[in-house]
């Protein structure tokens, strides 16, 4: 707790409740395991959980089975249970089967993971569609793995089979993200300083290279409506891209060191970014204004010395699906849960060498990766106010500029723009 000022300690910040853990194999001589876990992911429908277990290995497990195992072995229950009715279609036969666990050997060190699900109405962006190897149906669920050698491998989640091997990057694939609209558009962020856009419905055709980063690209994330992409990287870079025109919208200025993670709020009105400058910023992506700052070091380092406090570097950030909470992981061995309208964390949890985190699909659990293992905590839960639910509904369809032109009182406009 040393990173908080005395006034915060006096508030006795709540400890988050442990839900369970998935541990890496202990054999030190198995060269396929034992490396850092840089990535954890939940399937969009909540059916599966995947993590990089070490070196080449990715583990895919049915999420309901995970929760049941936590309960059976006496681990504390999640705050809100996830539905256990997870019968899934097998991609080959169309038959409903019990979801299966898979261990995938990717052939190289795994740096990034992303789940993608298909919506048949979202056609390929390829103009001349005559024949495709793959016809992705409604029940399709894919897992993309980004590797150390610059390759991206696409797997069928239900069978564990390799479908595609995408080869164009020349360096580590540091992050992957699917468009949420079911189009199976995949964006990859690499140490080769580029982002690449792939159309999996066109058999993995690479559609576009996004150039603008002068150094490594650490992360990327789609807005909920798939229209905007955020990419972050070394040299304080935070870029926003128009994904219809594949052009840069703006660069967000404010961080003082490398920016390593980003995520939009569920309504698309906010963008959270995590940096080695010991801060998480919450931006209005439509205006480029910083609305909130969550500090992990007090007093915060000055711009000149922002790179010197590496025991407080922020490694990962995730937005909860209630739109009210953010989780962050820093090198000070703490996981923090923040409310977007409060200055200090509402809950904390201990975690050594934490590298990545993400909320479960229903928001009830946070998964955090560390040294090949994964730890789970119950998240802060509360009933969202009617005002906040209305705000999210409005902001899903209206950017900031349109909200500011509404003929409503200024205080309501400020609330809708997350300024109060």
């Amino acid at each position: 707790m040393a990173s908080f000022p005395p006034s915060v300690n006096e508030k006795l910040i709540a400890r988050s409740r442990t839900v369970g853990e998935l541990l890496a194999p202990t054999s030190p001589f198995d060269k396929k395991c034992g490396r850092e876990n840089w990535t954890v992911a939940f399937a969009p429908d909540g059916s599966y959980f995947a993590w990089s277990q070490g070196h080449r290995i990715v583990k895919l497990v049915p999420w309901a089975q995970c929760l049941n195992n936590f309960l059976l072995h006496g681990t504390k229950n999640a705050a809100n249970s996830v539905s256990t009715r997870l019968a899934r279609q097998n991609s080959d036969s169309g038959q409903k089967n019990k979801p299966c666990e898979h261990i995938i050997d990717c052939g190289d060190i795994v740096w990034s993971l992303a789940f993608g699900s298909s919506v048949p109405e979202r056609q390929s962006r390829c103009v001349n569609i005559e024949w495709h190897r793959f016809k992705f149906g409604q029940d399709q669920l894919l897992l993309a793995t980004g590797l150390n050698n610059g390759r991206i491998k696409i797997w069928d989640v239900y069978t564990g089979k390799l479908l595609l091997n995408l080869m164009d990057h020349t360096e580590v694939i540091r992050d992957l993200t699917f468009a949420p609209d079911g189009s199976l558009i995949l964006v990859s962020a690499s140490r080769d300083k580029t982002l690449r856009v792939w159309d999996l419905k066109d058999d993995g055709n690479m559609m576009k290279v996004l150039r603008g980063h002068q150094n490594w690209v650490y992360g990327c994330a789609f807005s909920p409506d798939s229209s905007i992409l955020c990419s972050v990287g070394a040299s304080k870079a935070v870029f926003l891209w128009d994904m219809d025109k594949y052009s840069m919208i703006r660069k967000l200025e404010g961080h003082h060191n490398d920016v390593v993670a980003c995520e939009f709020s569920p309504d698309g009105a906010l963008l959270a970014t995590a940096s080695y400058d010991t801060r998480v910023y919450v931006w209005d992506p439509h205006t480029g204004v910083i609305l909130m700052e969550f500090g992990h070091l007090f007093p915060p380092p000055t711009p000149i010395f922002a790179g010197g406090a590496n025991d407080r570097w922020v490694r990962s950030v995730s937005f909860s699906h209630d739109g009210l909470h953010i989780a962050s992981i820093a090198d000070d061995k703490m996981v923090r849960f923040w409310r977007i309208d409060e200055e200090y964390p509402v809950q904390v949890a201990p975690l050594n060498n934490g590298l990545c985190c993400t909320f479960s699909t229903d928001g009830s659990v946070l998964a955090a990766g560390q040294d090949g293992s994964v730890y789970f905590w119950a998240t802060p839960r509360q009933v969202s106010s009617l005002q906040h639910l209305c705000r999210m509904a409005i902001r899903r369809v209206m950017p900031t500029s349109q909200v500011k032109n509404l003929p409503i009182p200024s205080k309501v406009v400020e609330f809708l723009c997350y300024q109060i």
Side-chain angles (χ1 to χ4, degrees):
M1 291 285 191
S3 63
F4 302 119
S7 59
V8 183
N9 288 334
E10 290 167 6
K11 293 181 181 179
L12 297 175
I13 299 170
R15 281 289 180 105
S16 184
R17 192 160 47 84
T18 301
V19 174
E21 57 191 27
L22 296 171
L23 301 179
T26 54
S27 53
F29 302 109
D30 182 355
K31 292 186 179 180
K32 294 181 182 179
C33 299
R35 193 177 171 86
E36 293 93 342
N37 174 2
W38 288 103
T39 178
V40 291
F42 286 95
D45 63 356
S47 58
Y48 276 87
F49 175 73
W51 81 100
S52 152
Q53 199 174 55
H55 280 292
R56 300 160 21 182
I57 300 302
V58 169
K59 192 95 175 270
L60 260 172
V61 294
W63 176 233
Q65 178 182 311
C66 265
L67 284 181
N68 286 338
N69 288 343
F70 296 157
L71 288 172
L72 288 172
H73 291 89
T75 328
K76 299 179 180 67
N77 188 10
N80 289 276
S81 63
V82 177
S83 171
T84 57
R85 190 173 53 82
L86 288 172
R88 301 299 307 166
Q89 292 94 337
N90 181 291
S91 301
D92 294 333
S93 65
Q95 303 279 324
K96 286 195 173 183
N97 293 315
K98 185 178 179 181
C100 296
E101 181 177 305
H102 297 290
I103 296 175
I104 297 173
D105 187 342
C106 296
D108 203 350
I109 296 168
V110 180
W111 284 86
S112 49
L113 294 173
F115 281 99
S117 56
S118 172
V119 175
E121 300 79 54
R122 300 291 302 186
Q123 297 297 321
S124 166
R125 294 194 185 185
C126 178
V127 178
N128 301 314
I129 303 176
E130 296 179 1
W131 177 86
H132 283 142
R133 275 177 67 199
F134 300 105
K135 299 218 181 321
F136 295 117
Q138 179 104 35
D139 67 328
Q140 193 73 42
L141 184 61
L142 305 179
L143 180 71
T145 56
L147 308 181
N148 193 67
N149 58 11
R151 294 190 179 190
I152 303 165
K153 292 187 176 182
I154 310 297
W155 310 82
D156 184 319
V157 169
Y158 304 137
T159 65
K161 292 180 180 178
L162 177 65
L163 299 179
L164 289 166
N165 194 353
L166 309 181
M167 297 177 286
D168 209 72
H169 281 291
T170 58
E171 290 281 351
V172 170
I173 308 296
R174 194 61 188 83
D175 199 15
L176 294 164
T177 183
F178 276 98
D181 61 5
S183 62
L184 291 184
I185 298 296
L186 174 70
V187 175
S188 52
S190 173
R191 286 185 181 174
D192 66 13
K193 307 176 187 177
T194 69
L195 298 127
R196 292 173 195 259
V197 186
W198 314 81
D199 186 350
L200 299 195
K201 288 193 176 179
D202 189 23
D203 292 340
N205 175 49
M206 198 201 52
M207 303 162 55
K208 200 73 179 175
V209 181
L210 303 180
R211 304 183 190 276
H213 286 267
Q214 300 301 307
N215 285 291
W216 291 359
V217 190
Y218 280 105
C220 55
F222 269 102
S223 63
D225 65 0
S226 304
S227 66
I228 298 174
L229 180 83
C230 176
S231 64
V232 297
S235 305
K236 316 170 192 176
V238 182
F239 295 160
L240 294 177
W241 306 84
D242 182 325
M243 291 307 287
D244 291 321
K245 301 175 181 176
Y246 301 115
S247 60
M248 191 183 296
I249 301 171
R250 64 172 55 88
K251 182 178 180 180
L252 303 183
E253 306 274 359
H255 278 296
H256 304 304
N257 204 339
D258 293 359
V259 189
V260 295
C262 59
E263 190 163 7
F264 285 88
S265 61
D267 59 4
L270 302 174
L271 171 69
T273 56
S275 170
Y276 288 164
D277 65 10
T278 75
R279 300 167 173 91
V280 167
Y281 284 153
V282 180
W283 313 75
D284 183 328
H286 302 287
T287 63
V289 173
I290 298 172
L291 299 175
M292 291 151 248
E293 175 183 334
F294 299 132
H296 296 66
L297 179 69
F298 298 92
T302 64
I304 297 173
F305 299 105
N310 58 359
D311 62 329
R312 300 291 192 280
W313 281 4
V314 189
R315 294 282 178 178
S316 184
V317 67
S318 184
F319 235 115
S320 175
H321 300 271
D322 63 7
L324 287 172
H325 294 92
I326 291 173
S328 65
I329 285 182
D331 282 351
D332 62 354
K333 304 177 182 179
M334 297 289 283
V335 179
R336 293 170 172 82
F337 295 93
W338 313 79
R339 265 188 65 102
I340 59 171
D341 53 1
E342 294 189 21
E343 187 177 358
Y344 300 117
V346 293
Q347 285 186 18
V348 296
L351 179 68
N352 290 331
N353 305 319
L355 296 172
C356 55
C357 66
T358 190
F359 282 94
S360 61
T361 308
D362 70 347
S364 66
V365 173
L366 182 80
Q370 167 247 35
D371 292 341
S373 300
V374 190
Y375 298 87
F376 300 90
W377 292 276
T379 59
R381 301 289 280 175
Q382 62 186 79
V383 177
S384 298
S385 68
L386 182 58
Q387 292 99 317
H388 175 65
L389 294 174
C390 291
R391 171 168 63 182
M392 290 183 69
I394 292 169
R395 292 312 308 270
R396 280 191 177 97
V397 296
M398 296 187 73
T400 305
S401 57
Q402 292 182 19
V403 171
K404 289 187 174 179
N405 289 329
L406 292 173
I408 54 178
S410 59
K411 282 292 182 186
V412 179
V413 170
E414 289 177 7
F415 177 78
L416 291 176
C417 293
Y418 290 90
Q419 293 174 345
I420 55 173

